Amino acid sequence: MSRDDDDWSRLMRLAMAGDGAAYDRCLRGMAVRLRGGVRRAIMRAGLAASDAEDVVQEILLAVHLKRHTWDAARPIGPWLAAIARHKTIDAIRRRGGRAGVPLDDVVDTLPAPSEEPAIRETELVRALERLPAGERAAVTAIAVDGASFSDAARKLGTSEGALRVALHRGLARLGRTAHERT
C-alpha cells in the first residue's frame, strides 16, 4: 500500500466521522494525483488538455456522492482508481473522443492496490473452472497471467475484439458469482 493510499484512507475515515478538514485534505490530495493521469488520458483520446480539470472535478464529485460505498477496512486507492477510470471514459465518450483509454493512463497516478489478495487462489481456481472455455481462457490470459490483448489474442488464435468480449463476459460472470456468494 502506498503512502498516499494510507493517508487518504486515514483521512477518509476521519472525514466519515465528521472531520471536515480531513475531508478537504483528502480531496485536495486526490485531485493533485488525478490531474496528471487524467490529462494524459484526455489528450491521448484526442481531446484538449483543458478538459482534464472538468473530469477531475467529476471524479471528486463521484467520490463525494459515493463515499458511503467505500469499505473503510480496505485501502481507498483501488476504489478511487475504479471511479477515475469510469469517469474518464464517460467524459471522453461524451466529448466525442476515442473511448479506448488505456487503464495505465489513469491508474499509474494512483496508489498501488493492497498486497492482500481479494480472493484466495483456491476460490479463484474454482470460479475459473466454472466459466465457459473461451471466457476462462480470456480471463486467465489477461487478468491472471497479465498478457497484453495482442499477445493473448495471438496465443488463443482469436481477434482482439473477440478476446475483449470474452474477457468482459467472463469477468461479468465472475462478478455475478462473487456477488451471489456475499
Side-chain angles (χ1 to χ4, degrees):
M1 186 166 22
S2 78
R3 181 172 176 243
D4 283 340
D5 202 18
D6 269 345
D7 290 344
W8 296 339
S9 295
R10 181 183 53 79
L11 290 170
M12 186 62 86
R13 282 185 205 96
L14 291 171
M16 293 177 87
D19 186 338
Y23 192 45
D24 183 61
R25 285 193 313 273
C26 183
L27 292 178
R28 286 181 190 278
M30 288 175 176
V32 168
R33 287 291 301 274
L34 287 165
R35 281 188 182 101
V38 169
R39 187 177 307 112
R40 281 190 299 278
I42 291 289
M43 291 175 65
R44 184 170 282 155
L47 301 176
S50 59
D51 290 326
E53 188 59 31
D54 291 341
V55 176
V56 169
Q57 294 305 314
E58 288 177 31
I59 294 166
L60 295 176
L61 180 60
V63 166
H64 175 71
L65 295 173
K66 298 295 183 179
R67 66 188 182 275
H68 66 279
T69 66
W70 172 60
D71 179 355
R74 296 188 163 277
I76 202 166
W79 178 81
L80 177 62
I83 291 172
R85 179 174 186 269
H86 291 288
K87 289 298 178 183
T88 301
I89 290 170
D90 289 348
I92 290 168
R93 285 181 179 148
R94 275 195 313 275
R95 289 170 173 83
R98 296 184 314 266
V101 178
L103 181 62
D104 292 341
D105 285 350
V106 177
V107 174
D108 67 349
T109 64
L110 300 171
S114 169
E115 296 299 319
E116 177 183 316
I119 186 170
R120 288 189 209 117
E121 190 173 342
T122 55
E123 293 172 336
L124 176 61
V125 169
R126 274 187 259 137
L128 286 171
E129 287 172 350
R130 287 190 290 261
L131 291 177
E135 292 174 14
R136 181 174 52 248
V139 171
T140 301
I142 301 296
V144 177
D145 297 338
S148 69
F149 279 97
S150 59
D151 289 343
R154 194 172 27 254
K155 177 183 170 189
L156 298 173
T158 187
S159 69
E160 286 186 41
L163 180 66
R164 289 178 192 275
V165 169
L167 175 66
H168 174 74
R169 288 179 179 164
L171 292 174
R173 191 181 312 268
L174 288 172
R176 284 191 303 274
T177 301
H179 182 70
E180 290 168 1
R181 300 180 98 197
T182 59

